[in-house]
Amino acid sequence: GLASDLACALAEDRQGRLWVGGGRGGMSVYDGRRFTALEGLPPRTVAAIAEDRDGHLWAATWGGGVWRWDDQGFAPLAAAGRTLYPLASSLVADRDGRLWVGTWGGGVYVYDGQVLQRLTRKDGLVHDGVQALFQDRRGDIWIATEGGVTRYRPGRLPPGVRLTDVIADQRYGPVGELEIPVSQKLVAFEFEGRSWTTRPEGMAYVYRLEGFDDRWRTTYGGRVEYRDLPLGDYTFQVRAVDRDLNYSDLAVVRLRVAPDPRLAAMTQALSGTAERFVGHSPALQQVQSYLTQVAGTDLTVLILGETGTGKGLAARTVHRLSPRAGGPLIPVNCGALPEGLVESELFGHEKGAFTGAVSRKLGKVELAQGGTLFLDEIGDLSSSAQAKLLRLLEERTFERVGGTQILRAEVRVVAATNRDLAGMVTAGQFRQDLYFRLQGFTVWLPPLRQRAEDIPELAVFFAGRMAAHLDKAVDGFAPTALARLKAYPWPGNVRELESAVQRAVIVAAGPILQVADLTLQAESAAAGLNDEALSLSPEEYERSYLLQVLAQTGWTIKGSRGAAARLGISPSTLHGRLKRLGIVRPSGHNALLAAGGHPPRQPGPRL
């Protein structure tokens, strides 16, 4: 029953059992009747065995470190941030419950179950090659080394610790209490210990953040960080631990994570309107934080994101939280304007400037004086309109079409697009200088598939609003319906989700919305795609999908049964996408044939 014929270590536990360490790995226990071999140790020599105060058996192995047996199996000695020298030669469990480990070449380690400290020549050892350990009646530890014998008397004077800094949006110094907004993603605590016996780099620390994680953790540095703390009250506690495992008193900081007053202001600004940000995902909170930070400035803001991600809502948020909130917010959908009328719509025109200009007309820029001009689908501006917009941004001046008077623009510009402006610049379709000028502050809105944790909350919000409009009792979604919503890729993003939920509320037969009530367009379209279609590029897939929807609606764009409504987007946005993808309505009966096959590849900007 012996694990090895070469016995190298012996120990008797408090139950009278004999433990035998083998020379080729393994350990055995003898209960007075028979030996039982224990499995799980690495194939190394067991140099020493010791039992601690809690009844655990420890085995020092030559080359494999120290392992603990707890009647369930062996586990290696591990301490956070610190590893044990592998050539363990001797063990002593002292009267205070601490485990002393001698190593050949690494000095002596002492472990109390939480902290692992190390003694070397710098701490007074004669030599780091330890052969044996022994504790005498007075509690001194005797260390036999290759260079002689060292008597080590553990110190009893506890160390001190002090907090040196708390860092969040700024350095607050050694404060006792602190309040930070929930939008602050990182908070760090810095501290240092002081001891008469231990070098600063030899200090260890145990810490915890009550209210967040009450477990004590160990670090061998003077800084710990926490990220994305939720709303609540917390207490940070830290103790210094010297080389003899003496613990200091607590250093304490009380921390409160409060609602961000800027986000609260944004919520208040959006109250009274039919729309608001819904969700609590980290991605959405980051966007809200960016919008509130830039709103108080007069920087030009560029909002990027796919169709339906909420670019218009983001622009309105910037306006309502800005010093210009008392002025007008004038939106301009650049993609919906005929190319020949873009300049007139933006800058106005004088009487007689062109055929049909029977009177002076003020443009959107003048109408937005003292407020915000929101340029949606900025990527669809003509080259001449781009040049005039660049002048507006650089000089804050403009002229009406057909006019000579230079007018001053007291407006803040917010632009948005779902197109790849950088790619358009490379392709020569968008002015590079205007692109750089628009990037005063860029905010990218993540697609809904990248914040899927917000989908249930959004769905419940849209369902409740539609049910109230119809005066219909709706109590929520079946779990399978919510699972389907979360699994769907949402190419139309939040706008598509809203349309799908609205339809579900209308057709639902009961108060709980079911999977059968949901109509998800991309799933039905994808079901008809073959293997070749599934290997298409994103641009080719989008073109194929749009052609299928157009064929199903008879190439009708507008109206409740049109392609735009089925896609959950506006007709102007659909026109822009068709133009970008080079989709032109075929004549006659060829329309159906074109929808059934793959259209020819055409050059165009990246998605």
Side-chain angles (χ1 to χ4, degrees):
L2 282 174
S4 173
D5 293 336
L6 180 60
C8 298
L10 292 170
E12 183 183 21
D13 66 19
R14 64 190 65 181
Q15 300 178 31
R17 297 176 297 184
L18 180 69
W19 297 78
V20 182
R24 298 183 181 88
M27 197 160 70
S28 304
V29 59
Y30 179 66
D31 61 5
R33 295 173 298 171
R34 62 176 180 172
F35 283 98
T36 302
L38 306 175
E39 301 295 335
L41 276 180
R44 305 287 184 177
T45 296
V46 178
I49 303 173
E51 182 183 27
D52 65 21
R53 186 170 56 183
D54 297 324
H56 297 130
L57 266 294
W58 295 86
T61 68
W62 189 257
V66 175
W67 294 68
R68 188 186 75 175
W69 170 264
D70 61 0
D71 292 332
Q72 299 295 324
F74 286 100
L77 189 158
R82 181 161 290 184
T83 57
L84 189 74
Y85 196 78
L87 300 177
S89 58
S90 52
L91 290 173
V92 165
D94 71 13
R95 298 162 195 162
D96 296 320
R98 296 170 296 190
L99 183 72
W100 295 76
V101 182
T103 65
W104 188 261
V108 175
Y109 292 81
V110 56
Y111 181 63
D112 66 354
Q114 176 78 31
V115 178
L116 181 67
Q117 286 288 42
R118 183 183 181 190
L119 306 176
T120 65
R121 293 186 186 184
K122 293 181 180 180
D123 301 301
L125 286 184
V126 174
H127 196 278
D128 289 334
V130 179
Q131 296 178 325
L133 292 171
F134 175 75
Q135 184 180 33
D136 65 20
R137 296 178 181 179
R138 295 198 307 174
D140 294 347
I141 302 295
W142 292 81
I143 306 167
T145 73
E146 187 178 1
V149 177
T150 299
R151 185 187 69 176
Y152 184 79
R153 178 168 295 169
R156 298 295 181 181
L157 184 64
V161 67
R162 71 183 186 94
L163 190 86
T164 58
D165 209 349
V166 181
I167 306 169
D169 54 326
Q170 65 183 46
R171 287 185 174 272
Y172 289 92
V175 296
E177 295 185 8
L178 179 64
E179 180 176 302
I180 62 172
V182 69
S183 59
Q184 183 60 44
K185 298 301 180 182
L186 172 70
V187 57
F189 300 92
E190 294 184 351
F191 39 83
E192 64 180 14
R194 303 178 302 277
S195 170
W196 292 104
T197 62
T198 307
R199 293 169 284 109
E201 63 271 19
M203 298 292 290
Y205 303 90
V206 293
Y207 67 94
R208 66 180 177 180
L209 186 63
E210 281 192 316
F212 179 74
D213 184 359
D214 291 343
R215 291 180 299 168
W216 287 100
R217 299 182 180 274
T218 305
T219 180
Y220 295 90
R223 176 187 171 106
V224 295
E225 298 178 352
Y226 293 91
R227 295 181 180 273
D228 299 318
L229 290 175
L231 294 170
D233 294 315
Y234 307 95
T235 301
F236 178 75
Q237 301 174 333
V238 61
R239 296 180 189 268
V241 186
D242 66 15
R243 70 187 185 192
D244 298 317
L245 298 181
N246 296 305
Y247 286 66
S248 73
D249 291 332
L250 285 173
V252 176
V253 180
R254 292 178 177 81
L255 176 70
R256 183 169 188 266
V257 179
D260 192 328
R262 297 172 300 178
L263 296 182
M266 178 171 60
T267 302
Q268 183 178 4
L270 292 173
S271 62
T273 68
E275 55 185 353
R276 62 180 177 87
F277 286 108
V278 176
H280 295 86
S281 65
L284 181 60
Q285 289 185 1
Q286 183 68 75
V287 167
Q288 291 176 296
S289 177
Y290 286 152
L291 294 177
T292 55
Q293 290 171 19
V294 75
T297 73
D298 211 28
L299 290 174
T300 298
V301 180
L302 177 61
I303 303 172
L304 303 176
E306 297 179 5
T307 295
T309 51
K311 296 185 292 294
L313 175 57
R316 290 187 288 276
T317 299
V318 171
H319 172 70
R320 291 190 178 102
L321 294 181
S322 73
R324 298 177 178 270
L329 171 65
I330 303 299
V332 180
N333 190 329
C334 302
L337 294 176
E339 185 173 348
L341 297 179
V342 172
E343 294 180 50
S344 174
E345 287 294 321
L346 282 178
F347 307 109
H349 62 254
E350 297 289 353
K351 180 180 179 179
F354 51 83
T355 303
V358 297
S359 63
R360 172 187 288 176
K361 177 183 176 181
L362 302 183
K364 303 297 186 182
V365 174
E366 284 186 86
L367 295 176
Q369 292 283 30
T372 303
L373 179 67
F374 174 41
L375 301 176
D376 198 7
E377 303 297 345
I378 189 70
D380 292 337
L381 277 181
S382 65
S383 57
S384 60
Q386 290 178 29
K388 289 196 173 184
L389 178 59
L390 177 63
R391 177 187 175 188
L392 176 72
L393 294 177
E394 288 184 337
E395 304 176 7
R396 297 294 175 178
T397 61
F398 67 99
E399 298 174 12
R400 302 189 190 101
V401 177
T404 58
Q405 183 181 4
I406 298 178
L407 304 174
R408 183 74 181 171
E410 295 293 341
V411 299
R412 195 250 188 94
V413 175
V414 177
T417 184
N418 63 354
R419 302 183 66 174
D420 178 12
L421 290 186
M424 294 179 66
V425 169
T426 302
Q429 299 171 346
F430 199 84
R431 292 181 63 111
Q432 186 180 53
D433 47 5
L434 177 58
Y435 174 62
F436 291 143
R437 181 63 64 176
L438 288 172
Q439 288 184 306
F441 191 94
T442 302
V443 179
W444 180 77
L445 302 185
L448 187 57
R449 59 184 174 274
Q450 292 185 11
R451 56 184 189 98
E453 58 266 53
D454 290 335
I455 290 176
E457 188 174 350
L458 280 163
V460 170
F461 172 78
F462 290 140
R465 194 165 66 177
M466 189 63 182
H469 174 71
L470 299 176
D471 195 20
K472 185 175 183 179
V474 173
D475 296 331
F477 291 79
T480 53
L482 283 179
R484 177 67 62 84
L485 291 177
K486 292 190 69 174
Y488 182 68
W490 298 112
N493 293 292
V494 178
R495 187 181 295 127
E496 183 185 7
L497 172 62
E498 181 179 14
S499 298
V501 172
Q502 287 175 342
R503 183 187 185 281
V505 172
I506 293 173
V507 304
I512 303 298
L513 304 183
Q514 307 292 332
V515 172
D517 300 326
L518 301 172
T519 300
L520 306 179
Q521 295 294 336
E523 286 185 348
S524 58
L529 295 177
N530 53 27
D531 292 339
E532 180 184 356
L534 292 175
S535 65
L536 296 175
S537 68
E539 183 175 335
E540 292 170 329
Y541 178 88
E542 183 182 16
R543 184 184 288 111
S544 177
Y545 171 55
L546 289 178
L547 284 169
Q548 290 191 44
V549 175
L550 288 167
Q552 294 169 5
T553 59
W555 284 80
T556 300
I557 302 295
K558 300 180 179 180
S560 59
R561 297 185 179 181
R566 295 192 64 175
L567 292 167
I569 60 178
S570 66
S572 62
T573 299
L574 179 55
H575 278 298
R577 292 171 73 176
L578 297 179
K579 179 180 178 181
R580 171 169 55 83
L581 295 169
I583 297 177
V584 180
R585 177 173 182 169
S587 59
H589 65 281
N590 291 331
L592 183 59
L593 295 177
H598 300 310
R601 298 180 182 228
Q602 301 181 25
R606 296 176 296 164
L607 287 174

